[in-house]
Amino acid sequence: MANQSTNAIEASNLNAWYGDFQALNSISLQIPKNEVTAFIGPSGCGKSTLLRWFNRMNDTIHSASATGDLRLGDIDLLSSATDVVDLRRRVGIVFQKANPFPKSIFENVAFGPRLHMKLNKTELQDLVEWALRKAAVWEEVKDRLNAPALGLSGGQQQRLCIARAIATGPEILLMDEPCSALDPASTLAIEDLMDELRSQYTIVIVTHNMQQASRCSDKTAFFFEGKVIEFNSTEKIFTTPNAKQTEDYVRGKFG
């Protein structure tokens, strides 16, 4: 039966480890569909660990393990039977450092669709253009699609990586500190892009930038030492948080 939940991802009593180190402790969280959810908190508190379990990127770390319940609709994300390749098509990720493939701009975006879809040449070209337009980088690259992606600026590379992530038709877009290495103008372009994409995608962003979290997100989760201390509307988290710890963090008293 199809899942009619208004939540994109649901975690219940999720625990995660790297070897003997417990990185996440009894996480219960519901990520709403078609909204931007921000994860905030000091370094090493579990934000990126949780993000990487959403599309099983932690599978690449030998010592990583998890228990509890983590679901995308009817899919048990922690099950060994889950098709991880299909999962990563449905749950795209953009990392802190732009990581374009050492290929042309066109081939970066076309790579995923070629893998997952049966498209003719014209359909593929149209899809690449659509994704680059959605990622607000088409006008800057349309005359050099065959040029190396590594020749783009940092901000352009990051938007190219977003185009690459959405080209496969994901439901969810994960962003792990996507603006931390970018200049203010590029950061603003990414934030504007998130605002535009939220109507089509569920977006989860890890950020250390409090202003960015308050500007861009609908919901915010504050993490500390592997636990979610508070999860609420972004406005409430930043104006009248329930926990003193949350208030101290958003007011800059530690972090």
Side-chain angles (χ1 to χ4, degrees):
M1 194 172 89
N3 187 303
Q4 298 301 316
S5 170
T6 57
N7 297 316
I9 293 177
E10 299 184 349
S12 179
N13 196 29
L14 180 69
N15 297 279
W17 291 264
Y18 296 112
D20 294 332
F21 171 71
Q22 187 163 2
L24 295 175
N25 198 311
S26 300
I27 301 292
S28 293
L29 200 61
Q30 297 178 326
I31 306 295
K33 289 179 181 175
N34 296 104
E35 291 188 10
V36 179
T37 298
F39 290 176
I40 63 171
S43 296
C45 64
K47 306 182 300 293
S48 294
T49 296
L50 180 58
L51 200 74
R52 290 168 65 93
W53 277 115
F54 288 166
N55 73 343
R56 293 276 291 275
M57 287 300 294
N58 285 327
D59 284 10
T60 62
I61 301 171
H62 178 68
S63 65
S65 62
T67 62
D69 196 42
L70 186 61
R71 295 190 171 271
L72 167 65
D74 295 326
I75 299 171
D76 177 355
L77 294 182
L78 300 183
S79 170
S80 59
T82 295
D83 182 340
V84 176
V85 173
D86 184 61
L87 174 63
R88 290 177 187 156
R89 181 193 67 75
R90 296 177 64 179
V91 185
I93 190 165
V94 176
F95 295 100
Q96 181 172 359
K97 187 176 186 302
N99 60 339
F101 302 141
K103 298 173 179 285
S104 71
I105 294 166
F106 182 90
E107 287 301 326
N108 262 269
V109 184
F111 183 83
R114 277 207 181 102
L115 197 64
H116 295 287
M117 307 172 190
K118 288 183 167 58
L119 301 174
N120 63 37
K121 185 178 178 182
T122 302
E123 289 169 334
L124 186 63
Q125 289 172 334
D126 288 347
L127 179 58
V128 168
E129 179 178 341
W130 172 86
L132 289 168
R133 283 187 183 279
K134 273 287 178 195
V137 73
W138 170 254
E139 293 299 328
E140 297 161 53
V141 303
K142 63 183 180 183
D143 297 323
R144 47 178 175 147
L145 294 176
N146 294 319
L150 295 172
L152 296 173
S153 72
Q156 290 171 328
Q157 285 188 19
Q158 194 63 301
R159 280 178 281 148
L160 175 67
C161 289
I162 293 172
R164 186 177 69 192
I166 63 177
T168 56
E171 300 156 40
I172 298 168
L173 189 58
L174 310 176
M175 306 178 102
D176 194 355
E177 293 276 359
C179 303
S180 65
L182 302 183
D183 60 85
S186 297
T187 296
L188 187 61
I190 300 286
E191 290 182 3
D192 287 345
L193 181 56
M194 279 193 282
D195 192 49
E196 185 187 329
L197 295 178
R198 72 179 355 126
S199 62
Q200 282 179 271
Y201 306 94
T202 298
I203 298 175
V204 186
I205 178 172
V206 168
T207 180
H208 279 103
N209 185 326
M210 294 301 97
Q211 290 77 25
Q212 183 172 70
S214 63
R215 280 193 302 264
C216 297
S217 65
D218 303 288
K219 300 275 194 315
T220 295
F222 169 57
F223 288 70
F224 187 71
E225 294 184 346
K227 297 178 181 176
V228 174
I229 304 301
E230 190 166 351
F231 181 51
N232 217 316
S233 72
T234 295
E235 183 180 13
K236 178 150 180 56
I237 291 287
F238 282 92
T239 56
T240 54
N242 293 325
K244 176 74 162 61
Q245 215 168 16
T246 309
E247 183 177 358
D248 287 349
Y249 184 74
V250 300
R251 301 282 183 271
K253 293 185 179 178
F254 74 97

